[in-house]
Amino acid sequence: MNTEEQLQQTADRLAISELIDKYAFCADTRDAKGQMALFTEDTNFVVFMDAKAPEPTMVISKRNDLFPVFDNLNSYNATMHFNGQKSIQLDGDSATGLAYCIAHHQTIKDGVQKLMIAYIKYHDKFVKQNNQWFFAERKLMVDWIENR
């Protein structure tokens, strides 16, 4: 691999890493439309509320149908998605990845604070279109949930 190819791979890895982080930033700032814009038009968004379940809890196959899912975060007083380690495998203008996330969801009802913490692994497929990286598929796998 020559220097130019190494630089391009480094730039692509950084762009994908920033895409993953932007997803979390959009979630926590309640920017549902911004979050949607991170996905391809024909995206595949799959949620497993139990990572060991044989069937997903939800499957969405169009970017425009993501709005209610992301807008649902408004039901919480606050959220904080903390991204951890990630692995990215590049293959030209496509890539796959695994990203860890601890997602905190706070509600306050009758003056009582409740906190739901979801421990998530995202199995991702990415595609580069017009020199920009997007989620082509995001599988949200909840390993476990803690309620406080």
Side-chain angles (χ1 to χ4, degrees), residues 36 40-41 43 45 58-71:
M36 292 167 60
T40 60
E41 290 285 342
T43 196
F45 187 79
M58 174 189 336
V59 177
I60 296 174
S61 300
K62 291 183 184 169
R63 177 169 59 196
N64 287 339
D65 294 339
L66 291 170
F67 184 80
V69 175
F70 299 150
D71 188 56

Side-chain angles (χ1 to χ4, degrees), residues 10-101:
T10 300
D12 287 337
R13 286 181 192 284
L14 179 59
I16 291 169
S17 183
E18 289 176 347
L19 175 71
I20 292 166
D21 288 343
K22 189 164 186 178
Y23 175 93
F25 292 140
C26 287
D28 292 339
T29 59
R30 304 302 185 273
D31 182 2
K33 291 192 186 258
Q35 202 169 7
M36 292 167 60
L38 305 175
F39 291 80
T40 60
E41 290 285 342
D42 61 345
T43 196
N44 196 33
F45 187 79
V46 183
V47 177
F48 285 81
M49 289 306 291
D50 177 356
K52 294 180 181 95
E55 297 295 322
T57 308
M58 174 189 336
V59 177
I60 296 174
S61 300
K62 291 183 184 169
R63 177 169 59 196
N64 287 339
D65 294 339
L66 291 170
F67 184 80
V69 175
F70 299 150
D71 188 56
N72 183 57
L73 290 172
N74 284 305
S75 64
Y76 298 99
N77 288 70
T79 61
M80 181 175 287
H81 291 72
F82 185 79
N83 291 325
Q85 65 270 34
K86 58 185 79 89
S87 172
I88 299 166
Q89 294 77 40
L90 294 170
D91 185 14
D93 285 346
S94 64
T96 58
L98 175 66
Y100 284 59
C101 179

